[in-house]
């Protein structure tokens, strides 16, 4: 009942479509979206209603994209476990399967709902996978680099090259995954990396592979000198973008939402990181 009152009644597919169009989303758009369902209000039909509304607005020429990851990936630090534990994990941990492996639950309900849609395409990288649905889905997801999966050639790079957009549908500003692409591109001192192992299916066989990436979990850089303690660096970068006139604000249902142009995000954030962290 509280959700119903806050959103002024049920948030329907047609209402979400109208709100998205008013925010600036349009036919043919390639859009990566992040969603906090509870912020929107009571959505009649849940995630499928949101996906349907987005499809209504971008149309058959448009494409929807989400960040997935892998909910059941082995932890990075399993190589520090007792040897018999490691051996058991290596012997039997299921391989990443783009068609079956669940999206990271921390990303909310929408990524899992979208990747299960008929026609959806999921990228091949186990730890940094994305999924897309629509006209450009296969092109965006193809040949996701095994190493540096947030950098050049990644789905994020292709989103930017397509002059795509980023929609925060009630989601906090610091959830913008595209900022990891800016971190991967930024030339600033102290960039932090991780290496880890995960199992893949290679020609039908399970094989373990080693991966190299920026540290997207604990931070690719130490922002403590330029960001107040307790504040998320991506939130600061995004708010500075908005203050510079990059991005739009609007309401979708009960949710404050934002729409950004991907090339503008990458250009601004890369410059922001290089300027502040190179001083």
């Amino acid at each position: 009942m509280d959700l119903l009152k806050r959103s002024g009644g049920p948030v329907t597919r047609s209402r979400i479509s109208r709100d998205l169009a008013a925010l600036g989303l349009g036919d043919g758009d390639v859009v990566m979206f992040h969603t906090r369902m509870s912020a929107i209000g009571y959505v009649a039909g849940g995630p499928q209603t949101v996906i349907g509304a987005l499809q209504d607005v971008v149309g058959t020429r448009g494409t929807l994209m989400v960040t997935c990851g892998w909910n059941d990936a082995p932890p990075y630090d399993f190589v520090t476990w007792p040897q018999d534990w490691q051996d058991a994990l290596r012997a039997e941990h299921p391989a990443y399967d783009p068609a079956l492996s669940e999206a990271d639950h921390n990303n909310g309900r929408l990524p899992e709902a979208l990747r299960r849609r008929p026609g959806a395409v999921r990228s091949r990288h186990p730890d940094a996978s994305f999924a897309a649905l629509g006209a450009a889905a296969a092109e965006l997801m193809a040949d996701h680099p095994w190493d540096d999966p947030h950098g050049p050639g990644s789905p994020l790079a292709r989103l930017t090259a397509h002059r795509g957009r980023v929609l925060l549908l009630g989601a906090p500003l610091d959830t913008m995954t595209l900022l990891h692409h800016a971190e991967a591109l930024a030339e600033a001192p102290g960039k932090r990396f991780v290496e880890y192992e995960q199992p893949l299916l290679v020609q039908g066989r399970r094989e373990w592979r080693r991966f190299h990436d920026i540290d997207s979990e604990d931070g690719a850089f130490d922002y403590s000198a330029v960001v107040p303690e307790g504040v998320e660096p991506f939130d600061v970068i995004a708010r500075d973008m908005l203050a510079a006139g990059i991005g739009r604000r609007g309401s979708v249902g009960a949710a404050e939402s934002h729409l950004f142009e991907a090339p503008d995000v990458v250009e601004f954030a890369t410059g922001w990181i290089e300027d502040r962290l190179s001083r």
Side-chain angles (χ1 to χ4, degrees):
M1 183 61 72
D2 288 343
L3 283 177
L4 277 167
K5 289 180 178 179
R6 183 160 52 81
S7 56
V11 180
T12 60
R13 178 167 171 166
S14 61
R15 179 178 171 186
I16 294 172
S17 297
R18 290 193 302 270
D19 289 348
L20 290 171
L23 184 59
L25 198 66
D27 183 67
D29 280 349
V30 176
V31 59
M32 181 176 186
F33 66 98
H34 305 267
T35 310
R36 178 170 285 179
M37 290 288 292
S38 61
I40 302 173
Y42 174 75
V43 178
Q48 299 302 340
T49 292
V50 175
I51 294 170
L54 284 159
Q55 289 181 305
D56 291 342
V57 179
V58 303
T60 57
R61 298 187 305 114
T63 305
L64 308 179
M65 176 173 158
V66 291
T67 182
C68 289
W70 179 16
N71 191 67
D72 299 303
Y76 288 175
D77 67 353
F78 86 88
V79 293
T80 66
W81 295 358
Q83 190 61 50
D84 58 332
W85 296 12
Q86 294 185 47
D87 293 344
L89 189 80
R90 288 187 185 280
E92 296 196 40
H93 195 292
Y96 169 73
D97 184 336
L100 297 177
S101 300
E102 290 188 14
D104 189 339
H105 296 177
N106 290 325
N107 293 327
R109 299 167 63 192
L110 268 295
E112 179 67 10
L114 184 132
R115 76 150 195 95
R116 287 173 173 265
R117 278 280 184 123
V121 181
R122 189 176 184 183
S123 71
R124 68 182 185 177
H125 198 285
D127 195 63
S129 70
F130 296 85
L133 177 67
E139 185 178 355
L140 290 169
M141 297 296 109
D143 301 323
H144 193 169
W146 296 125
D147 295 318
D148 198 15
H150 293 93
S154 69
L156 296 175
R158 292 179 177 179
L159 173 73
T160 305
H162 273 74
R163 304 199 65 78
R165 314 180 87 179
V166 177
L167 171 67
L168 301 180
L169 193 56
L173 291 168
D174 63 20
T175 62
M176 195 188 307
T177 302
L178 185 58
L179 293 177
H180 288 310
H181 183 50
E183 290 185 316
L185 298 179
E187 297 181 0
K191 188 179 292 191
R192 301 188 291 216
F193 298 92
V194 290
E195 291 194 356
Y196 53 91
E197 296 178 65
Q198 292 184 349
L200 296 168
L201 286 174
V202 179
Q203 297 181 342
R205 296 179 58 187
R206 187 173 62 92
E207 294 184 7
W208 284 82
R209 192 190 191 285
R210 193 167 184 84
F211 300 91
H212 177 84
D213 191 15
I214 58 169
D215 188 349
S216 61
E217 184 172 325
D218 294 326
F221 294 98
D222 178 2
Y223 292 99
S224 61
V226 295
V227 172
E229 185 177 356
V231 178
E232 291 293 331
F234 280 10
D235 184 77
V236 175
I237 295 171
R239 291 190 184 282
D240 283 355
M241 270 194 288
L242 290 166
I246 298 170
R248 306 181 183 188
R249 290 185 178 92
S251 294
V252 177
E256 180 180 60
S257 300
H258 298 85
L259 184 65
F260 296 88
E261 309 300 322
D264 294 344
V265 168
V266 174
E267 180 181 8
F268 181 92
T270 303
W272 190 100
I273 293 167
E274 292 178 343
D275 177 59
R276 284 164 176 74
L277 300 186
S278 299
R279 294 176 180 174

